[in-house]
Amino acid sequence: MKNRSIIVISLIFFILGLLSCGHKNSTSNTRCIEFMEIPIEGNVKTFGEKLEGKGYCCNGDDTLSRQIGYDGTYLNKPVQIILYYNEETRDINIVRTWFRGNMPNVASLLNEYTEKYGKCDIKADYGDVFYTWKVEGGYIGIATDNSSFLAIDYSNKELNY
């Protein structure tokens, strides 16, 4: 009887160990979406400091709208980078690149992203068009009216256009 109890207890610990290892492996393989090789996770200030290290200049923190702006160049065009964050935790949610006037070619950009990320969801609303790709670790979205603005969003959460 004593040997049977030892075998049962050993078997229980063995199964619990396997379950624990499986859980650790599944969470460690989860990747976070990145913008310019910076993971979109954690504190927005830390993310902003990494942007500054890449040459972007902060132009202010709008706590009412929960966003911090940075000026710089992206895709060889002048751009404003807007970091949206959670009000309570100040964790970053979305990185938006905002082009006005001097924009990359929208059709070429859409083709490039579709080749790289596959089929996208398309939504049109009042002359604006929104393209969204689900990618490993998050979402990428392009919002445009094809003439006066272009925004590319990188998010660790689903984009709600």
Side-chain angles (χ1 to χ4, degrees):
M1 190 64 143
K2 185 176 177 182
N3 287 341
R4 185 180 274 173
S5 295
I6 291 172
I7 291 172
V8 169
I9 290 172
S10 297
L11 187 58
I12 289 171
F13 281 115
F14 177 74
I15 291 170
L16 289 173
L18 285 176
L19 292 173
S20 175
C21 288
H23 176 71
K24 287 177 186 173
N25 287 339
S26 66
T27 56
S28 65
N29 289 335
T30 303
R31 286 193 44 174
C32 182
I33 188 168
E34 296 179 344
F35 174 74
M36 296 185 61
E37 301 175 349
I38 307 169
I40 300 174
E41 64 183 359
N43 185 278
V44 70
K45 183 178 181 206
T46 303
F47 189 96
E49 289 168 353
K50 291 176 183 176
L51 271 182
E52 289 173 351
K54 293 182 178 279
Y56 287 84
C57 298
C58 183
N59 64 23
D61 184 350
D62 181 352
T63 56
L64 186 60
S65 299
R66 297 174 310 280
Q67 64 187 34
I68 302 175
Y70 290 83
D71 294 318
T73 302
Y74 187 70
L75 301 178
N76 297 317
K77 306 286 184 189
V79 67
Q80 182 179 32
I81 305 291
I82 304 167
L83 309 179
Y84 294 91
Y85 58 88
N86 177 290
E87 182 177 21
E88 295 165 7
T89 64
R90 290 190 61 91
D91 284 346
I92 188 166
N93 294 324
I94 298 173
V95 175
R96 171 169 289 160
T97 60
W98 188 262
F99 301 88
R100 295 184 189 185
N102 190 8
M103 306 182 312
N105 181 287
V106 175
S108 296
L109 198 58
L110 290 171
N111 287 336
E112 178 184 335
Y113 278 50
T114 300
E115 279 183 27
K116 186 172 183 179
Y117 303 115
K119 188 175 185 236
C120 66
D121 291 328
I122 302 172
K123 178 183 171 188
D125 190 21
Y126 298 105
D128 298 333
V129 185
F130 306 94
Y131 305 85
T132 309
W133 291 266
K134 174 138 180 47
V135 299
E136 184 178 354
Y139 295 84
I140 296 176
I142 293 179
T144 185
D145 67 359
N146 279 326
S147 62
S148 64
F149 84 94
L150 169 69
I152 305 172
D153 294 335
Y154 299 82
S155 179
N156 56 19
K157 298 184 184 329
E158 188 169 0
L159 295 166
N160 294 315
Y161 290 128

